[in-house]
Amino acid sequence: MTKNLIELKNISKTFLSGEKKINLFNNVNLKIKKGDLIALVGPSGSGKSTFLHMLALLEEPNKGRIYLSKSDTGKMSESEKDKARREKISIIFQNNNLLNDFTALENVLMPLYIKGHINQKTKDKGIKILTDVKLNKRVNHFPSELSGGEQQRVAIARSIISDTNLILADEPTGNLDRKTSKNVFNYFKYLQKKDKAILFATHNRELANMADYKLSIFNSKLLRSNGKK
C-alpha cells in the first residue's frame, strides 16, 4: 500500500506581470509520503508561497495534476476541496490569521468548532498543545495581548489540533527567536514520529539543514538536496 499523501505530476504554473508571462514552475514532479519532514527553500519571490497554496488546493496549476490520497484534485468541486482541506491538510500561514475576538485557546479550537467537535476532551487537547508550544500561561489571552512570536505559536497549535496527515507551513518560525524556533522544529519532529508529513517554507538555513531533505526553487524547477547536516 502506497504511503504517498500527495503527488504532483508535470505541474506548471505561470502568471502575468503586466504583459510579461512569468514561469514559476515548469513540469514539476513530487511525491510526499507519510513521515516526510521537508524544507522548501528559495529567495523571496521564487514561488514558495504559491507552491504551498497549490498543495493546499488554494491555487490551481496551469498544467499538470495534483493527487491527494490518489484523488485527482482537478476533478474536485470547491466544496470537495474545502472538505479535503478540513480533513487532510493543515496550513500555517505566514501572517498567522488569528481571530482577534477569540482567545488563544478558542483560536486553536476553531477547526474543531467548524466540525462541531467541541467537548471537554477536545478543550483539554487544545490546552495540551498550547502547553507543548510553551503557551500554557497564555491560554485565555487575546491575540492583541500576545507578541508576534506567541501569535505564530498559536497558529501552529491550531494547525496541529485537527490531526491531519499533511501539514504545510509558510515561514512558521519567521517571527520567532532561535530558541523558540528550535522548539517548534522539535515539535515537527514529534509529529513526524506520528507519521505526519510536514513541508515548511523557510529562510532559516539551520532548520532547513535539519529536515530530511530540502526542495529548492530555481529557474522554474524544483531541486532536491539532502538535509540533516
Side-chain angles (χ1 to χ4, degrees):
M1 181 181 295
T2 181
K3 294 180 69 176
N4 290 335
L5 296 176
I6 194 163
E7 182 176 0
L8 278 60
K9 289 187 175 182
N10 301 316
I11 293 296
S12 296
K13 181 68 175 178
T14 63
F15 70 93
L16 292 176
S17 178
E19 296 182 354
K20 185 178 181 181
K21 184 178 180 181
I22 306 295
N23 292 312
L24 277 182
F25 306 105
N26 187 36
N27 292 325
V28 167
N29 293 278
L30 176 68
K31 295 178 181 179
I32 298 177
K33 65 181 186 299
K34 293 180 180 179
D36 280 347
L37 180 56
I38 310 162
L40 179 65
V41 300
S44 297
S46 61
K48 296 189 299 298
S49 293
T50 298
F51 188 74
L52 288 174
H53 289 172
M54 286 196 297
L55 290 174
L57 312 184
L58 295 171
E59 290 191 39
E60 294 184 0
N62 296 94
K63 294 181 181 179
R65 296 290 185 182
I66 298 175
Y67 295 90
L68 181 65
S69 301
K70 295 186 177 181
S71 296
D72 185 348
T73 62
K75 297 179 180 179
M76 290 181 178
S77 65
E78 288 304 313
S79 61
E80 288 172 330
K81 288 180 182 179
D82 287 341
K83 182 180 179 182
R85 278 190 292 269
R86 287 196 304 269
E87 296 179 352
K88 298 181 179 181
I89 304 171
S90 293
I91 310 166
I92 305 171
F93 292 104
Q94 193 169 11
N95 60 357
N96 69 61
N97 286 351
L98 298 183
L99 300 173
N100 291 326
D101 294 332
F102 294 85
T103 66
L105 178 59
E106 289 168 339
N107 268 282
V108 169
L109 294 174
M110 195 56 62
L112 303 185
Y113 280 119
I114 293 171
K115 295 178 182 179
H117 294 170
I118 292 297
N119 52 45
Q120 189 58 50
K121 183 177 180 180
T122 55
K123 289 180 180 178
D124 291 342
K125 181 179 180 181
I127 292 171
K128 182 183 184 304
I129 293 174
L130 282 169
T131 300
D132 288 340
V133 295
K134 313 300 183 186
L135 287 175
N136 52 301
K137 295 182 180 180
R138 294 287 191 266
V139 169
N140 295 313
H141 285 64
F142 291 91
S144 61
E145 300 172 313
L146 303 174
S147 69
E150 288 171 335
Q151 291 180 30
Q152 188 68 341
R153 279 182 278 163
V154 172
I156 291 167
R158 180 183 58 193
S159 75
I160 290 166
I161 200 166
S162 295
D163 202 29
T164 59
N165 285 328
L166 178 62
I167 299 170
L168 305 172
D170 193 355
E171 291 285 349
T173 63
N175 295 322
L176 306 181
D177 59 44
R178 187 173 184 271
K179 180 179 178 181
T180 308
S181 295
K182 292 287 281 292
N183 287 339
V184 168
F185 185 84
N186 287 337
Y187 200 77
F188 284 167
K189 293 289 291 182
Y190 166 76
L191 293 172
Q192 181 186 28
K193 292 177 181 178
K194 290 180 171 290
D195 233 10
K196 311 293 184 186
I198 302 103
L199 174 62
F200 64 101
T202 186
H203 288 291
N204 187 319
R205 184 175 298 180
E206 181 183 9
L207 296 185
N209 286 337
M210 291 190 291
D212 292 340
Y213 61 90
K214 293 178 286 187
L215 296 174
S216 304
I217 300 172
F218 183 74
N219 286 344
S220 303
K221 301 295 184 183
L222 199 65
L223 307 177
R224 174 170 171 164
S225 58
N226 293 331
K228 293 186 177 179
K229 292 183 180 180

